[in-house]
Amino acid sequence: MSAALSPQTLVPDAAACAATLARLQAAHEPRVVVVGNPNVGKTTLVNAVAGTHLKVGNWSGVTVEKREARFQRAGRTVHLLDLPGAYSLSPHTPEEIITRAALLDEAPDAVLNVLDAGNLERNLYLTLQLMDYHLPVAVALNLVDEARGKGVQVDAAALARLLGVPVVETVASRAQGTGTLVDVALERATLGTSVRYPEAIEAAVAALRAEMAPLDTLPPHAHRALALALLEGDPSVRGRLHATGHAPLLHAADEVLADLAAQGADPLIEIAEARYALAGDIARAAAPQAQARRTLTERLDTLALHPWLGVPLFLLLVLLVFRLTFSVAAPFVDLIGGPLQTTVTGWATAALAWFPLGRDLVTGAIIPGVGTVLSFLPTLLVLYLAMSFLEDSGYMARAAFLMDRAMRGLGLDGRAFIPLILGFGCNVPAVYATRTLERRSDRLLVSMVLPFMSCSARLPVYVVFAAALFPRRASVLVWALYVLGMAVAFVSAWVLRRTALPAEGSGVLLELPPYRFPTGAVLWKHAWRRTASFARRARTTVMATVAAVWLLLAVPAVGGAAFASVAPQDSLFGRVSDWVSPLFAPLGFGDWQAAGALVPGFIAKEVVVGTLGQIYLGEQAAAPTPLGLLAGLGEAVRGTWDAVVASVSALPTVLALPSLNADAGASLQTPLAAALAHAFTPAGALAYLVFVLLYTPCIATVGALAQEHGRRVAWGTVAYQLLSAWAAAFLTYQLARLWL
Amino acid sequence: MPDVSLDTLRPGDSAHIVSVDSAHPLRRRLTELGFVRGAPVTVIRRAPMGDPVQLRLGGALLALRAADLRLIQVRA
């Protein structure tokens, strides 16, 4: 078929194309942005193109990531910007806002538009919108193998002719065609044909462009796109123009829109219809014999979305991820927290023998504190691998579809279910798992309430208290605490949704992408990058906090005691605990010991038990034996090997049902339990457990919140949790006193 | 046959889009996702608890809540 689309298209003049191309070829360090719908394989493509030379840059402060790959090509440094997936350049999601902002503000030298060959019509909508930006474009026709499997054969040459830009066929997951792609983009990217809208719309665009012509504050390449966005009533473009002092332009747009309305025109609909009409024509011309074939995706969906089997299957998968994460990672967690930490402590003790104060700070605070945080790394890595697999395979969207109805009562959509459930294992990765939510307010809401989901680190505290004070009803008590945590999370979500965080936009609207088997390299890259960014934080926030607590424990608050050799009750820590303890008196545990144990619990909940032991039994942490360099290395290697063996042998058990009170028996009748039974009333112990359940889970969770949502949100959440914990413990104590 | 709203279709039914409620904020999004006049749409299935609804629109699979489907008028 020939390019019989001329009445609907605007072909840029040859001089403009030549000038664009010349600028691109002369660019010293060309910047190429990669744009496409979600699930078309952009990241896979960027990885395949940039290969092992990929240098990843993270933009801090934005929730949604955009990444840059830098590599050498024909003597030039090419910057490849991997932008988040977008269905449209009229932004509705944070992803789309970032993508559009990159086109407007970063003035890229070229745009690489990635298309899914199997879903051409929908993908071309974005392409045609992109053409209105008047930037040089090259197209990667990706997933051609998958399209062929569906019976869709795209004629790349015809597509190139119809769009007026170069088109390269690629299979990014096997690096097919990706080599030539960059060369084509850098040598031949050019202005493509754009949609010719109905006469009235084109006249309005011309009028608005005339208004923009004298303004040197707006990027000239974007004049047509901005005019169209104004006609579509795009609120974010209006907001930007308003904020940058372009009120007269907005007035002009209002007048033009009033004129159009008077003529009975509906620009939003007419613009979209014109784009879809052309996209449909191009898709039919480039892939004429597209025939519906029952795909693997449809066959899998009859099982995955089955009316009865779908939900049990999903819950089973969640259980599998949960068990995989915590049982496979557990031996490595024990390794980092145990033998490795002992080894490092031994070395530090030997190395700092000449400086006792520094030695105590390092071995007593920094190594255990940072070690606790680092011990999360294996868990995070395994979880991210599992999550990336579910996300990239296309299953996550199905999970959201299945659970949507159940989550709706909270004003959330189905995707929120997964982070909440993961919170039972560990709150830290659960906070990061909120990234799969589309709306920012949902991410924030779920992150703020999920720390109420009782993570596994709280279990030892429950077990010790249950054994000490409620030995006959231990498992019911532990179960009740889990349920209470869930209830508080759900009530908080309900309240926050109706007060501080109303839903943005409306309803769930999600694409169910075709199932794909993700490549190991991409999964690993995703998981590793996120894990590493968590590890970096262990150096800052965490180190400062543990040092502060250590200092509180080291500074004597009574005369005559020496620094760092003072009993806990005589330290500043003891004094502060004593000072805040009246706050806890209405909760039934107003002595300084109980209050004091809560403070290190802020670093990690499992520390609460250790601190209680230290305070009530006067146990001192056993001084580590200094190890020689070689002996230490030997220990570390042996420990690593044991962890690998334990981890592999845990694999067959991941499907076994988890047991909530697995280690309850071991802790029964310990000296600590006896001491607690003596020190706490049953009502006070219940209130203490409720407080431990609900207050800030750990410093690592606070760090994760700060990284995802900023410090203000993190500390706001801490305050909210402390208040909730206090209120719930108060109620518990006052009610329990009546019965117990 | 008169126009009906998309939520009244049963799994397996096909129709063509006629219009999207012009007053609703979701209209922009729906329009951009391809709910434009004349586009063919097929209802595939409802989620286990009856809602949301899986659709085929053009070559893509989408899921929408029934409440939002009420904004869309279709003709068989």
Side-chain angles (χ1 to χ4, degrees), chain A residues 232 266 273 276 509-510, chain B residues 27-28 32-33 37 63 65:
Chain A
E232 290 174 291
D266 188 344
E273 281 181 359
Y276 268 108
L509 196 127
L510 35 101
Chain B
R27 181 202 199 198
R28 291 171 54 82
E32 291 189 321
L33 279 172
R37 192 163 43 194
R65 286 180 178 169

Side-chain angles (χ1 to χ4, degrees), chain A residues 87-88 90 92-93 96 119 122 125 129 232-234 266 268-269 272-273 276 298 301-302 305-307 401-402 404-405 408 412-413 506-512, chain B residues 18 20 22 24-37 45-54 56-66 68:
Chain A
Y87 290 113
S88 149
S90 311
H92 296 268
T93 62
E96 290 175 353
N119 193 2
R122 156 76 56 79
Y125 181 87
Q129 221 178 358
E232 290 174 291
D234 181 335
D266 188 344
L268 172 67
I269 296 296
E273 281 181 359
Y276 268 108
E298 287 168 64
D301 269 352
T302 50
L305 304 179
H306 189 276
F401 180 74
L402 292 170
D404 184 65
R405 187 65 192 260
R408 196 177 308 174
L412 290 166
D413 72 50
S506 105
V508 70
L509 196 127
L510 35 101
E511 177 151 26
L512 304 175
Chain B
V18 175
V20 179
S22 60
H24 199 276
L26 203 56
R27 181 202 199 198
R28 291 171 54 82
R29 189 67 168 158
L30 291 171
T31 304
E32 291 189 321
L33 279 172
F35 288 90
V36 290
R37 192 163 43 194
R45 63 167 64 82
R46 287 174 177 271
M49 285 169 268
D51 199 12
V53 178
Q54 188 187 11
R56 177 189 303 288
L57 178 76
L61 298 172
L62 294 170
L64 263 81
R65 286 180 178 169
D68 298 328

Side-chain angles (χ1 to χ4, degrees), chain A residues 301-325:
Chain A
D301 269 352
T302 50
L303 180 66
L305 304 179
H306 189 276
W308 304 321
L309 294 178
V311 173
L313 203 66
F314 164 66
L315 295 176
L316 199 69
L317 260 173
V318 170
L319 180 67
L320 188 72
V321 169
F322 195 86
R323 299 280 293 168
L324 192 71
T325 303

Side-chain angles (χ1 to χ4, degrees), chain A residues 66-238:
Chain A
K66 70 180 173 179
R67 280 152 297 177
E68 183 180 306
R70 282 193 299 280
F71 58 95
Q72 296 294 320
R73 200 80 179 185
R76 292 198 284 179
T77 304
V78 183
H79 299 253
L80 209 55
L81 234 68
D82 182 13
L83 296 177
Y87 290 113
S88 149
L89 297 172
S90 311
H92 296 268
T93 62
E95 286 86 349
E96 290 175 353
I97 288 170
I98 289 177
T99 298
R100 211 259 300 271
L103 291 172
L104 282 178
D105 303 334
E106 306 207 3
D109 296 297
V111 179
L112 188 54
N113 179 207
V114 187
L115 300 185
D116 171 0
N119 193 2
L120 209 50
E121 186 173 342
R122 156 76 56 79
N123 279 246
L124 284 171
Y125 181 87
L126 181 71
T127 309
L128 292 175
Q129 221 178 358
L130 206 52
M131 298 302 191
D132 288 325
Y133 277 81
H134 285 198
L135 290 165
V137 174
V139 165
L141 187 64
N142 197 27
L143 302 166
V144 284
D145 53 340
E146 194 181 284
R148 265 182 224 123
K150 283 201 285 186
V152 178
Q153 193 87 37
V154 182
D155 180 347
L159 188 62
R161 196 173 58 244
L162 294 166
L163 288 173
V165 298
V167 174
V168 179
E169 286 190 28
T170 55
V171 180
S173 56
R174 280 184 268 135
Q176 284 175 16
T178 51
T180 50
L181 183 64
V182 176
D183 295 328
V184 168
L186 291 176
E187 299 304 323
R188 289 171 38 214
T190 187
L191 305 177
T193 47
S194 51
V195 184
R196 185 179 176 82
Y197 300 101
E199 260 339 294
I201 304 280
E202 286 293 345
V205 169
L208 288 174
R209 290 188 70 169
E211 295 283 334
M212 292 181 207
L215 306 173
D216 53 6
T217 44
L218 295 175
H221 72 268
H223 282 186
R224 182 174 169 84
L226 285 173
L228 285 162
L230 285 171
L231 294 179
E232 290 174 291
D234 181 335
S236 73
V237 152
R238 289 191 68 97

